[in-house]
Amino acid sequence: MTTTEPGTLLTPAPARADWPTHRMGRFLADIEAKYDQSFATYEDAWRWSVENLEDFWGAVWEHFEVISHSPHTAVLEDRTMPGARWFPGATLNYAEHVLRTLRARAEDVMVTSRSQTNGSVEWTGARLQEEIARIQTGLVARGVTKGDRVAGYLPNIPQTLAAYLATTGIGAIWCAVPSEMGPQSVLDRLVQLEPKVLIAIDGYVYGKRDLPRADDLARIRKFLPGTHTVLLPYLDPEAPVPEGAQSWAEFTGRAGTETGFDAAAVPAVHIEPVPFDHPLTVLFSSGTTGKPKAIVHSHGGILLEHLKAHGLQFDMSEADNAFWFSTTGWMVWTMGMSSLLLGASVVLMDGDPNWPAANGEWSQWAVMAGTKATYMGTGSAYLAACAHSGMRPNQKWDLTRLREIQCSGSPLAADVAGWVLDAVNPALLLAPTSGGTDICAAFVGGSPLTPVWAGEMSCRPLGVAVASWDPQGRELQGQAGELVCTEPMPSMPVFFWGDEGNERYENSYFGAYPGVWRHGDWLVHTERGSWVITGRSDATLNRGGVRLGTAEFYAVLDALRQVNDTMVLHFEDAGGMGKLVLLVDAEDGADQEALETAIRTTLRTELSPRHVPDHVVFVDSIPRNPTGKRLEIPLKRIIQGAVQGQVMDVGVVARPEQIDATVARVQEVMGRP
């Protein structure tokens, strides 16, 4: 892999004259004409959008022809955070806007599924409409109405997408937990919501392993006595239906009938208009630092933010076939399914992308090539793993249709960014992004009108008033500060479920700067106008008064040969330097003594003597959640004596069986009991 220096210009911004070739450029031209503006650069347009929030979001509403069943009396009635009230008076429905495109593309394949459990499935727009209508019939028969919760214990398959749209179409509230979660992790989430209906599978295949879920489902049902269960057979088409549950065939009105699809017989989908801030879906925080927060997102907030993001920032249209690699419980899945709002089709994948090998037939690259995907949403950790393995996807698969890669979950190192353009497709737009489940959107990312610099994020999205602040609330440039959002966004949560008086909500985001959202990331605004996340502000290392971002370590260590993965932990003492511990997952057969010497030398020369660890501990794996995020904080707390189940939800850890051994090794070198 060729070395690429951070800040290297990989893709220049398009000429100002070429802006109209992108939807964002045409949108901004309309703004210029209507409001007598002139935007020489993207930054000019961004500044106008956050200084004129009402005009900007009103323009988004008009540009994307939002369907409203009653008029709004204002765009933003109150700017205060928390509590900003958007589009009061309007009634709408997120699902109706997806249905608009499904009806327009009824005969086109809109959902392509690749599953290691049941193979390949393709659904047209009409076929997806039929499934939505059938699920709605089943929900109504079980007494589900507006405001009720419907939960899915489901993988990333077409039925999950249909259930999401069916539920939200009638004004009920959707939530999903991925099928790889164990029963305790599922219950930690669903017990909070008391869903009226739970749709679950019997099991699934991951790589070469069959993973039944019947026993787990039985335990989950025991603690949800008021919830009606529907079993969707997936691992075994003849899976027995548990006592008291209902079969998918019966629930969808197919029991005893032909299962074939007849486009002429597609039943009508019901749409229930709801207020802008009516709950659409509940997304759960990772649960890696305590009980998962049940974050409630609204119909209008997700609709408006995702129309803007997909239509303008991603330049997505019905010409796209969008592949988003995600499990169903993460915000990336919700974001990915919104590709349908713009008329794009979607590719769903359920399975192990490293089976039978990282460059095998289930590689994300192989799936995209086989489905002719044009857009990729993936994890930065996945791209890094491919780069460090020496893989060159463009030599094995035809990826010339792939026009953009958006990656998130962790910072994208400069070397990996250079590798993407060299080894995947030099013509694509690379858009590293950082946002979160909290807003189901991005705080910083890319756009078709901005340059791409290695190891950095290009811009703040339109309408998103992000800055980097010091503790006194002064804006910083060139050094790390707290990522703050100084103006409301439509997709900020409406509340946390069960949070009496919004106490947890306010403490989570508004405790540091009253009236200003603090996200908990360290953010650097570079002299180029780009942005870099250097780590979580609560995981930042303080060595003798000097603050070190964890991302600095990883940018250097991820490029080292024979290093699979790393994690850096800092254990403070009373005013001293503390102890810096580096965990290393090395390649099989690596000379650990020589590798440790190389690591220490590299950190000393590339960063500083303060970055050299006191202890290097070789471990079998690094704790990460399914999005690839390193779990530094919860692991540190366990090492310090906290109870694992209280600070780390092992159901979201990629290899939970390795945690105890890792904790023991660190405690041993630090002399802890």
Side-chain angles (χ1 to χ4, degrees), residues 414-471:
D415 284 347
V416 180
W419 171 87
V420 168
L421 296 186
D422 179 51
V424 180
N425 183 352
L428 64 75
L429 177 66
L430 181 61
T433 300
S434 184
T437 301
D438 317 77
I439 57 166
C440 201
F443 283 123
V444 285
S447 89
L449 306 185
T450 47
V452 177
W453 291 281
E456 301 170 358
M457 289 169 282
S458 297
C459 64
R460 295 168 284 192
L462 297 176
V464 182
V466 161
S468 173
W469 276 14
D470 72 6

Coordinates of all heavy atoms in Angstrom, one line a residue, residues 414-471:
A414 N -5.3 8.3 6.2 CA -4.9 8.9 4.9 C -4.4 7.8 4.0 O -4.8 7.8 2.8 CB -3.8 9.9 5.1
D415 N -3.6 6.8 4.4 CA -3.2 5.7 3.6 C -4.3 4.9 3.0 O -4.3 4.5 1.8 CB -2.2 4.8 4.3 CG -0.9 5.4 4.6 OD1 -0.6 6.4 3.9 OD2 -0.1 4.8 5.4
V416 N -5.3 4.7 3.8 CA -6.5 3.9 3.3 C -7.3 4.7 2.3 O -7.8 4.2 1.3 CB -7.4 3.5 4.5 CG1 -8.6 2.7 4.0 CG2 -6.6 2.7 5.5
A417 N -7.4 6.0 2.5 CA -8.1 6.9 1.5 C -7.4 6.8 0.2 O -8.0 6.7 -0.9 CB -8.1 8.3 2.1
G418 N -6.0 6.9 0.2 CA -5.3 6.8 -1.0 C -5.5 5.5 -1.7 O -5.6 5.4 -2.9
W419 N -5.5 4.4 -0.9 CA -5.7 3.0 -1.4 C -7.0 2.9 -2.1 O -7.1 2.3 -3.2 CB -5.6 2.0 -0.3 CG -6.0 0.6 -0.6 CD1 -5.2 -0.3 -1.1 CD2 -7.3 0.1 -0.5 NE1 -5.9 -1.5 -1.4 CE2 -7.2 -1.3 -1.0 CE3 -8.6 0.5 -0.1 CZ2 -8.3 -2.1 -1.0 CZ3 -9.7 -0.3 -0.1 CH2 -9.5 -1.6 -0.6
V420 N -8.1 3.5 -1.6 CA -9.4 3.4 -2.2 C -9.4 3.9 -3.7 O -9.9 3.2 -4.6 CB -10.5 4.2 -1.4 CG1 -11.8 4.3 -2.2 CG2 -10.8 3.6 -0.1
L421 N -8.8 5.1 -3.9 CA -8.8 5.6 -5.3 C -7.8 4.8 -6.1 O -8.1 4.7 -7.3 CB -8.3 7.1 -5.2 CG -9.3 8.0 -4.5 CD1 -8.8 9.5 -4.7 CD2 -10.7 7.9 -5.0
D422 N -6.8 4.2 -5.6 CA -5.8 3.5 -6.4 C -6.3 2.1 -6.6 O -6.2 1.6 -7.8 CB -4.5 3.4 -5.6 CG -3.4 2.6 -6.4 OD1 -3.2 2.9 -7.6 OD2 -2.8 1.7 -5.8
A423 N -6.9 1.4 -5.7 CA -7.2 0.0 -5.8 C -8.7 -0.3 -6.0 O -9.0 -1.5 -6.3 CB -6.8 -0.7 -4.5
V424 N -9.6 0.7 -5.9 CA -11.0 0.4 -6.2 C -11.4 1.1 -7.5 O -11.8 0.5 -8.4 CB -11.8 0.9 -5.0 CG1 -13.3 0.6 -5.2 CG2 -11.4 0.2 -3.7
N425 N -11.4 2.5 -7.5 CA -11.8 3.2 -8.6 C -11.3 4.7 -8.5 O -11.8 5.4 -7.6 CB -13.4 3.2 -8.8 CG -13.9 3.9 -10.0 OD1 -13.1 4.5 -10.7 ND2 -15.2 3.8 -10.3
P426 N -10.4 5.1 -9.3 CA -9.9 6.4 -9.2 C -10.9 7.5 -9.5 O -10.6 8.7 -9.1 CB -8.7 6.5 -10.2 CG -9.0 5.4 -11.2 CD -9.7 4.3 -10.4
A427 N -12.0 7.2 -10.2 CA -12.9 8.2 -10.5 C -14.0 8.4 -9.5 O -14.8 9.3 -9.6 CB -13.6 7.8 -11.9
L428 N -14.1 7.6 -8.4 CA -15.2 7.7 -7.5 C -14.9 8.9 -6.5 O -13.8 9.3 -6.3 CB -15.4 6.4 -6.7 CG -14.3 5.8 -5.8 CD1 -14.2 6.5 -4.5 CD2 -14.7 4.3 -5.6
L429 N -16.0 9.3 -5.9 CA -16.0 10.3 -4.8 C -15.9 9.6 -3.5 O -16.8 8.8 -3.2 CB -17.2 11.2 -4.9 CG -17.3 12.3 -3.8 CD1 -16.2 13.3 -3.9 CD2 -18.7 12.9 -3.8
L430 N -14.9 9.9 -2.7 CA -14.7 9.3 -1.4 C -15.2 10.3 -0.4 O -14.8 11.4 -0.3 CB -13.2 9.0 -1.2 CG -12.9 8.3 0.2 CD1 -13.6 7.0 0.3 CD2 -11.4 8.2 0.3
A431 N -16.1 9.8 0.5 CA -16.8 10.7 1.4 C -16.8 10.1 2.8 O -17.8 9.6 3.3 CB -18.3 10.9 1.0
P432 N -15.6 10.2 3.5 CA -15.6 9.8 4.9 C -16.6 10.7 5.7 O -16.7 11.9 5.4 CB -14.2 10.0 5.4 CG -13.4 10.1 4.1 CD -14.3 10.6 3.1
T433 N -17.3 10.1 6.6 CA -18.4 10.8 7.3 C -18.4 10.5 8.8 O -18.1 9.5 9.2 CB -19.8 10.4 6.7 OG1 -19.8 10.7 5.2 CG2 -21.0 11.1 7.3
S434 N -18.9 11.5 9.6 CA -19.1 11.3 11.0 C -20.4 12.0 11.4 O -20.6 13.1 11.2 CB -17.9 11.9 11.8 OG -18.0 11.6 13.1
G435 N -21.2 11.2 12.1 CA -22.5 11.7 12.6 C -22.8 10.9 13.8 O -22.1 10.8 14.8
G436 N -24.0 10.2 13.7 CA -24.3 9.3 14.8 C -25.7 8.9 14.8 O -26.6 9.5 14.2
T437 N -26.0 7.9 15.6 CA -27.3 7.4 15.9 C -28.2 8.5 16.5 O -29.4 8.6 16.2 CB -27.3 6.2 16.9 OG1 -26.5 5.2 16.3 CG2 -28.6 5.7 17.2
D438 N -27.6 9.4 17.2 CA -28.3 10.5 17.9 C -29.0 11.4 17.0 O -30.1 11.9 17.3 CB -27.3 11.3 18.7 CG -26.3 10.5 19.4 OD1 -25.3 10.0 18.8 OD2 -26.4 10.3 20.7
I439 N -28.5 11.6 15.8 CA -29.2 12.5 14.8 C -29.5 11.7 13.5 O -30.2 12.3 12.6 CB -28.3 13.7 14.4 CG1 -26.9 13.3 13.9 CG2 -28.1 14.6 15.6 CD1 -26.1 14.3 13.2
C440 N -29.1 10.5 13.4 CA -29.3 9.7 12.2 C -29.0 10.4 10.9 O -29.7 10.4 9.9 CB -30.8 9.2 12.1 SG -31.0 7.7 11.1
A441 N -27.8 11.1 11.0 CA -27.4 11.9 9.9 C -25.9 12.2 10.2 O -25.3 11.6 11.1 CB -28.2 13.2 9.9
A442 N -25.3 13.2 9.4 CA -23.9 13.5 9.5 C -23.7 14.9 10.1 O -24.5 15.8 9.8 CB -23.3 13.4 8.1
F443 N -22.6 15.0 10.9 CA -22.2 16.4 11.3 C -21.1 16.9 10.4 O -21.0 18.1 10.1 CB -21.6 16.3 12.7 CG -22.6 16.2 13.8 CD1 -22.6 15.2 14.7 CD2 -23.6 17.2 13.9 CE1 -23.6 15.1 15.7 CE2 -24.5 17.1 14.9 CZ -24.5 16.1 15.8
V444 N -20.3 16.0 9.9 CA -19.3 16.4 8.9 C -19.2 15.2 7.9 O -19.4 14.1 8.2 CB -17.9 16.7 9.5 CG1 -17.9 18.0 10.2 CG2 -17.5 15.6 10.5
G445 N -18.8 15.5 6.6 CA -18.8 14.5 5.6 C -18.3 15.0 4.3 O -17.3 15.8 4.2
G446 N -19.0 14.6 3.2 CA -18.5 15.1 1.9 C -19.7 15.7 1.1 O -20.8 15.8 1.6
S447 N -19.3 16.1 -0.1 CA -20.3 16.7 -1.0 C -19.8 16.6 -2.4 O -18.5 16.5 -2.6 CB -20.7 18.1 -0.7 OG -19.8 19.0 -1.3
P448 N -20.6 16.7 -3.4 CA -20.1 16.7 -4.8 C -19.4 18.0 -5.2 O -18.8 18.1 -6.3 CB -21.3 16.5 -5.7 CG -22.5 17.0 -4.8 CD -22.1 16.7 -3.4
L449 N -19.4 19.0 -4.4 CA -18.9 20.3 -4.7 C -17.6 20.7 -4.0 O -17.0 21.8 -4.2 CB -19.9 21.4 -4.5 CG -21.3 21.3 -5.1 CD1 -22.1 22.5 -4.9 CD2 -21.2 21.0 -6.6
T450 N -17.1 19.7 -3.2 CA -15.9 20.0 -2.4 C -14.7 19.1 -2.7 O -15.0 18.0 -3.2 CB -16.3 19.9 -0.9 OG1 -17.0 18.7 -0.7 CG2 -17.1 21.1 -0.4
P451 N -13.5 19.5 -2.4 CA -12.4 18.6 -2.6 C -12.4 17.4 -1.6 O -13.1 17.4 -0.6 CB -11.1 19.5 -2.3 CG -11.7 20.9 -2.2 CD -13.1 20.8 -1.8
V452 N -11.5 16.4 -1.9 CA -11.3 15.3 -1.0 C -9.8 15.3 -0.6 O -9.0 15.3 -1.5 CB -11.7 14.0 -1.7 CG1 -11.4 12.8 -0.7 CG2 -13.1 14.0 -2.1
W453 N -9.6 15.4 0.7 CA -8.2 15.4 1.2 C -8.0 14.1 2.0 O -8.9 13.7 2.8 CB -7.9 16.5 2.2 CG -7.9 17.9 1.5 CD1 -6.8 18.4 0.8 CD2 -8.9 18.9 1.4 NE1 -7.1 19.7 0.3 CE2 -8.4 20.0 0.7 CE3 -10.2 19.0 2.0 CZ2 -9.1 21.1 0.5 CZ3 -10.9 20.1 1.8 CH2 -10.4 21.2 1.0
A454 N -6.9 13.4 1.9 CA -6.6 12.2 2.5 C -6.7 12.3 4.1 O -6.0 13.2 4.6 CB -5.2 11.6 2.1
G455 N -7.4 11.4 4.7 CA -7.5 11.4 6.2 C -8.4 12.5 6.8 O -8.4 12.7 8.0
E456 N -9.1 13.2 5.9 CA -10.0 14.3 6.4 C -11.3 14.2 5.8 O -11.6 13.5 4.8 CB -9.3 15.6 6.0 CG -7.9 15.8 6.6 CD -7.1 17.0 6.1 OE1 -7.6 17.7 5.2 OE2 -6.0 17.2 6.6
M457 N -12.3 14.9 6.4 CA -13.6 15.0 5.9 C -13.8 16.4 5.3 O -13.3 17.4 5.8 CB -14.7 14.8 7.0 CG -14.7 13.3 7.4 SD -15.6 12.9 8.9 CE -14.4 13.4 10.1
S458 N -14.5 16.5 4.2 CA -14.4 17.6 3.3 C -15.2 18.9 3.8 O -14.8 20.0 3.6 CB -15.0 17.3 1.9 OG -14.1 16.3 1.3
C459 N -16.4 18.6 4.5 CA -17.2 19.8 4.7 C -18.2 19.5 5.8 O -18.4 18.4 6.2 CB -17.9 20.2 3.4 SG -19.1 18.9 2.8
R460 N -18.9 20.5 6.2 CA -20.1 20.4 7.0 C -21.3 20.4 6.1 O -21.4 21.2 5.2 CB -20.2 21.6 8.0 CG -19.1 21.7 9.0 CD -19.0 23.0 9.7 NE -18.4 24.1 8.9 CZ -18.0 25.3 9.4 NH1 -18.2 25.5 10.7 NH2 -17.5 26.2 8.6
P461 N -22.2 19.5 6.3 CA -23.4 19.4 5.4 C -24.2 20.7 5.5 O -24.2 21.4 6.5 CB -24.2 18.2 6.0 CG -23.2 17.4 6.7 CD -22.3 18.4 7.3
L462 N -24.9 21.0 4.4 CA -25.8 22.2 4.4 C -26.8 22.1 5.5 O -27.3 21.1 5.8 CB -26.5 22.3 3.1 CG -25.6 22.5 1.8 CD1 -26.5 22.5 0.6 CD2 -24.8 23.8 1.9
G463 N -27.0 23.3 6.2 CA -28.0 23.3 7.3 C -27.5 22.8 8.6 O -28.3 22.8 9.6
V464 N -26.2 22.4 8.7 CA -25.7 21.8 9.9 C -24.6 22.7 10.5 O -23.5 22.8 10.0 CB -25.1 20.4 9.7 CG1 -24.6 19.7 11.0 CG2 -26.2 19.5 9.0
A465 N -24.9 23.4 11.6 CA -24.1 24.4 12.2 C -23.1 23.8 13.1 O -23.1 24.0 14.4 CB -24.9 25.5 12.8
V466 N -22.1 23.1 12.6 CA -21.1 22.5 13.4 C -19.9 23.4 13.6 O -19.5 24.1 12.7 CB -20.6 21.1 12.8 CG1 -19.3 20.6 13.3 CG2 -21.7 20.1 13.0
A467 N -19.2 23.2 14.8 CA -18.0 24.0 15.0 C -17.1 23.2 16.0 O -17.6 22.2 16.6 CB -18.3 25.4 15.6
S468 N -15.9 23.6 16.2 CA -15.0 23.0 17.2 C -14.8 24.1 18.3 O -14.3 25.2 18.0 CB -13.7 22.6 16.5 OG -12.7 22.2 17.5
W469 N -15.1 23.7 19.5 CA -15.1 24.7 20.6 C -14.1 24.3 21.7 O -13.9 23.1 22.0 CB -16.5 24.9 21.2 CG -17.4 25.8 20.5 CD1 -17.2 26.3 19.3 CD2 -18.6 26.3 21.0 NE1 -18.3 27.1 19.0 CE2 -19.2 27.1 20.0 CE3 -19.3 26.2 22.2 CZ2 -20.4 27.8 20.2 CZ3 -20.5 26.8 22.4 CH2 -21.1 27.6 21.4
D470 N -13.5 25.3 22.3 CA -12.7 25.1 23.6 C -13.7 25.1 24.7 O -14.9 25.3 24.6 CB -11.6 26.1 23.7 CG -12.1 27.5 24.1 OD1 -13.3 27.7 24.3 OD2 -11.3 28.4 24.1
P471 N -13.2 24.8 26.0 CA -14.2 24.7 27.1 C -14.9 26.0 27.4 O -16.0 25.9 28.0 CB -13.2 24.3 28.3 CG -12.1 23.6 27.7 CD -11.9 24.3 26.3

